[in-house]
Amino acid sequence: MMASMASFVVPPAIADEIALVLIAEGIDAELRRDHDGTVIWVADRDASHAARILAEEYPGGFAASIAERRWQPRSPFGDRWFGRGSWVLFAIVGLCIAIYAGEELSGGSESRAVLLRFGASRPAHVRSGEWWRLVMAIFVHIGPRHILGNVATLLVLAPALAAALGAGRFAFIFVLTGVAGNALSYWVAPSDMVSAGASGAILGVLGALGGQRIRFASSARFRTWQIVAALLAYLGIAVGAEPGVDTMAHLGGLIAGFVLGLVIPPLPAGPTRRERLVSIACGAVAGAIVALAFIAAITASRRA
């Protein structure tokens, strides 16, 4: 006896992708193109499960997904792994690498004196009025493993948030969560501890992905379990690889990112003029914070 089947009519443009999504979830899906159109067949017992998966993967519907892809510019790096807003990731990575190169040329990125000269955070310095260290420390790294790990993690995890929010809103979240993580570390860390790195901001990206998933699920192109798995994997690697990891900076960035992810809406596929202005304003605020911190750091170094 032939098992009863259920069907889903799908757009031809993304039919192969939809079938692959179902197969990846363990559903035996068969794609057929005939006079009835493009149809995916699944066993009746899998129909409700398949419907839930498709609703989760394409919350705005198939047509909305196709329209969004047409609006987004294609990337030279492949099938839009680095999509809308990804240029800001390269700018952040470039800044981190440039500062790291400067550290190495100035005596080594693992030298305490060099780290402090380039803006690493130290509670005693911050209490003396050097607030800019809470910002500069995001871009300063300690040793090759530190910079390589953070750059790789950023390029793997951040494109999803950049694509959802656009460059301006992403930069705003990245900078503010990095500062929030460093601020929490400042309040609880010993006065003489020197800390640096983009890890707090990276955890902020993960937290924001979680907030987006909970509040704006209709536009989230990722699932809750993916965020949880990424968070656990990152924390496992960070804690296991470096016993002196600044856990408070991570926690502060994660909490701040989650809150911002709940309140900052994603940028729609066809943003209005107002939405574009809001994104530009967010990016301008982030850029101004970083620029002011750099100016203060340079001024302080000239006085020393």
Side-chain angles (χ1 to χ4, degrees):
M1 181 183 296
M2 182 178 295
S4 56
M5 305 287 285
S7 63
F8 297 88
V9 179
V10 298
I14 57 173
D16 291 321
E17 174 189 308
I18 294 171
L20 183 61
V21 166
L22 294 177
I23 292 170
E25 292 290 336
I27 295 175
D28 188 11
E30 181 182 350
L31 177 61
R32 300 178 189 173
R33 292 182 174 91
D34 52 33
H35 62 278
D36 292 326
T38 305
V39 182
I40 291 179
W41 292 86
V42 301
D44 255 353
R45 65 178 181 276
D46 294 325
S48 60
H49 184 202
R52 285 196 302 272
I53 292 171
L54 295 181
E56 189 172 319
E57 283 291 325
Y58 305 94
F62 298 139
S65 177
I66 293 173
E68 180 179 358
R69 295 171 192 213
R70 286 173 180 165
W71 180 84
Q72 289 181 347
R74 293 194 66 81
S75 165
F77 299 94
D79 188 18
R80 293 196 315 277
W81 178 267
F82 297 107
R84 175 178 67 175
S86 287
W87 67 266
V88 76
L89 300 180
F90 301 127
I92 291 170
V93 167
L95 182 57
C96 290
I97 291 175
I99 291 177
Y100 178 78
E103 294 172 49
E104 291 294 339
L105 292 173
S106 299
S109 62
E110 299 182 69
S111 164
R112 182 183 177 92
V114 170
L115 290 170
L116 289 173
R117 191 187 318 157
F118 275 79
S121 180
R122 179 172 176 263
H125 281 67
V126 176
R127 291 189 187 104
S128 71
E130 296 181 355
W131 62 268
W132 46 268
R133 291 184 180 276
L134 300 178
V135 182
M136 289 295 298
I138 300 170
F139 306 101
V140 177
H141 288 81
I142 307 171
R145 283 200 312 170
H146 195 202
I147 181 71
L148 287 174
N150 276 352
V151 165
T153 304
L154 184 64
L155 292 177
V156 169
L157 298 179
L161 187 65
L165 299 180
R169 300 180 194 210
F170 175 87
F172 183 80
I173 285 180
F174 184 86
V175 172
L176 260 66
T177 56
V179 171
N182 289 335
L184 181 59
S185 177
Y186 156 70
W187 282 109
V188 302
S191 295
D192 201 40
M193 188 182 89
V194 175
S195 61
S199 303
I202 293 172
L203 265 294
V205 169
L206 278 173
L209 285 170
Q212 290 276 303
R213 180 62 189 168
I214 291 172
R215 176 79 188 280
F216 307 105
S218 62
S219 59
R221 297 290 295 144
F222 39 82
R223 300 185 187 178
T224 304
W225 70 264
Q226 290 172 316
I227 300 167
V228 173
L231 174 60
L232 293 176
Y234 181 82
L235 289 176
I237 292 171
V239 174
E242 197 66 54
V245 68
D246 190 348
T247 304
M248 288 298 105
H250 289 184
L251 181 61
L254 179 66
I255 294 172
F258 181 73
V259 172
L260 290 173
L262 286 174
V263 300
I264 296 179
L267 197 63
T272 64
R273 183 173 181 273
R274 179 180 178 279
E275 288 165 335
R276 289 181 184 276
L277 289 176
V278 169
S279 293
I280 291 171
C282 287
V285 169
I289 291 172
V290 174
L292 288 173
F294 267 82
I295 292 170
I298 293 171
T299 302
S301 66
R302 288 176 177 174
R303 290 174 180 168

